[in-house]
């Protein structure tokens, strides 16, 4: 049976037909849209649980729609299939492709430039992708909503980098999010889970990375022999969990024990996770990240 998270990448025509009949879906010509909100939840089913999240500017291809406005499709970056509650939100994103990405842990967009000017503020997470129109005096003017020039907003230029600008140390990227609240299925600096922390750091370094920890365990890096000394940038996997190795004695992970992204001594974490009933490490993997461009 096709994994629902890979439905549109792997389903047969018969499976697609059965799903459309079951869920009252109408197939549409695939249409690539982008998130307009700070985060958009991707659900496992209509009115179901959150699976993952789409950040501002990240792309989602709609492949089928329901009468109540729900849309079924997949993310562009990793082909993660799921449901979006209101596709109309995505249709409001500017037509141009993003030019820049938020590289600070958190930033914001506001309706005017300048440090001391007042105005409505919209939060932005690391990884959000934006259409920069121009920049003046430290502020980037952002195309915010399709067909509405008066909706251009302003973001501190210092918080942005071109979308093709890559880092070489995923742990350093993840460490910017220390203290971020733990959120099941979260992918942003507003709330994140263990696999979201791995994915956001990998993407910042140009490493293709699926969304969930079991998918990451199957796809990422080179498997190392048990007993191999861990080093910075390695990944340790358990049943339902993943953590970065910050150094040979320290993990960095988003976890429900701290309810946050946190460093934790490696030996303490290993014992605690076993005591919680999640068992031993199931895989030790080493990534090979190209130098930053």
């Amino acid at each position: 049976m096709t994994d629902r998270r890979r439905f549109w990448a792997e389903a047969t025509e018969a499976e697609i037909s059965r799903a459309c009949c079951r869920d009252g879906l109408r197939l549409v010509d695939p249409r690539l849209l982008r998130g307009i909100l700070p985060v958009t939840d991707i659900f496992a089913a209509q009115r179901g649980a959150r699976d993952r999240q789409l950040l501002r500017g990240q792309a989602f291809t709609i492949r089928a729609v329901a009468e109540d406005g729900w849309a079924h499709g997949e993310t562009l970056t990793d082909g993660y299939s799921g449901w979006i509650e209101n596709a109309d939100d995505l249709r409001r994103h500017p037509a141009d492709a993003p030019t820049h990405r938020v590289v600070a842990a958190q930033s914001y967009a506001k309706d005017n430039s300048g440090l001391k000017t007042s105005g409505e503020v919209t939060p932005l997470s690391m990884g959000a992708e934006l259409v920069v129109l121009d920049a003046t005096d430290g502020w980037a003017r952002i195309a915010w909503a399709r067909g509405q020039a008066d909706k251009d907003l302003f973001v501190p230029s210092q918080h942005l980098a071109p979308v093709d600008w890559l880092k070489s140390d995923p742990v350093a990227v993840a460490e910017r999010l220390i203290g971020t609240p733990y959120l099941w299925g979260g992918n942003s600096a507003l709330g994140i889970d263990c696999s979201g922390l791995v994915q956001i750091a990998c993407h910042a370094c140009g490493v293709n990375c699926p969304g969930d920890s079991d998918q990451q365990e199957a796809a990422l890096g080179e498997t190392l022999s048990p007993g191999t000394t861990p080093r910075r940038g390695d990944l340790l996997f358990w049943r339902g969990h993943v953590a970065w190795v910050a150094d040979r004695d320290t993990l960095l992970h988003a976890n429900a024990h701290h309810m946050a992204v946190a460093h934790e001594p490696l030996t303490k974490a290993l014992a605690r996770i076993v005591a919680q009933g999640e068992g031993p490490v199931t895989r030790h993997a080493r990534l090979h990240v190209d130098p930053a461009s």
Side-chain angles (χ1 to χ4, degrees):
M1 182 177 179
T2 301
D3 185 335
R4 63 175 170 76
R5 301 168 300 178
R6 297 284 300 160
F7 181 81
W8 292 105
E10 299 176 354
T12 65
E13 289 188 11
E15 287 175 318
I16 292 172
S17 178
R18 286 196 296 270
C20 288
C21 290
R22 180 190 67 227
D23 298 323
L25 289 171
R26 174 174 56 85
L27 288 174
V28 296
D29 291 334
R31 184 176 182 188
L32 188 146
L33 301 173
R34 294 183 182 273
I36 190 89
L37 303 176
V39 292
T40 299
D41 286 338
I42 300 174
F43 296 92
Q46 291 168 281
R47 285 168 286 278
R50 180 195 309 108
D51 254 348
R52 299 255 44 102
Q53 290 179 320
L54 194 72
L55 300 183
R56 162 79 198 199
Q58 290 183 335
F60 187 85
T61 301
I62 293 175
R63 297 188 176 274
V65 296
E67 290 185 1
D68 59 3
W70 284 75
H72 200 199
E74 61 183 340
T75 60
L76 178 66
T77 54
D78 61 351
Y80 197 106
S81 296
W83 291 82
I84 298 291
E85 182 174 6
N86 187 358
D88 286 341
D89 285 338
L90 277 66
R91 294 187 180 97
R92 294 190 295 116
H93 189 277
D96 293 338
T99 61
H100 288 69
R101 181 185 297 116
V102 175
V103 293
Q106 295 186 50
S107 187
Y108 56 87
K110 63 194 190 86
D111 53 15
N112 47 60
S113 61
L115 288 175
K116 297 182 179 181
T117 57
S118 61
E120 184 177 350
V121 171
T122 300
L124 293 171
S125 169
M126 175 193 290
E129 299 181 2
L130 306 172
V131 181
V132 173
L133 300 173
D134 52 53
T136 305
D137 296 331
W139 292 88
R141 184 167 64 96
I142 307 300
W144 195 257
R146 185 184 292 263
Q148 300 180 45
D150 60 337
K151 283 293 185 180
D152 293 349
L153 299 183
F154 295 84
V155 175
S157 297
Q158 200 168 359
H159 293 174
L160 305 178
V163 291
D164 58 357
W165 184 79
L166 302 176
K167 301 293 287 182
S168 59
D169 182 354
V171 177
V173 175
E175 285 174 331
R176 296 184 186 181
L177 296 174
I178 288 174
T180 297
Y182 179 84
L183 176 68
W184 179 270
N187 275 88
S188 81
L190 308 177
I192 202 163
D193 67 8
C194 64
S195 56
L197 186 67
V198 169
Q199 188 180 61
I200 201 170
C202 282
H203 284 175
C205 297
V207 176
N208 292 329
C209 179
D212 292 340
S213 62
D214 63 322
Q215 298 173 314
Q216 293 168 355
E217 183 172 7
L220 292 178
E222 168 195 359
T223 300
L224 302 178
S225 302
T228 301
T229 300
R231 74 183 189 195
R232 184 176 178 87
D234 287 357
L235 290 167
L236 297 183
F237 293 92
W238 292 260
R239 185 177 67 248
H241 189 58
V242 60
W244 288 108
V245 174
D247 59 51
R248 61 180 297 167
D249 300 313
T250 312
L251 293 183
L252 174 68
H253 54 157
N255 64 91
H257 176 72
H258 296 93
M259 283 305 295
V261 176
H263 283 124
E264 185 173 8
L266 176 58
T267 55
K268 180 179 178 180
L270 292 173
R272 178 178 61 77
I273 292 170
V274 169
Q276 289 175 182
E278 297 175 16
V281 170
T282 55
R283 183 171 181 246
H284 178 186
R286 181 156 295 163
L287 294 182
H288 299 284
V289 180
D290 292 333
S293 60

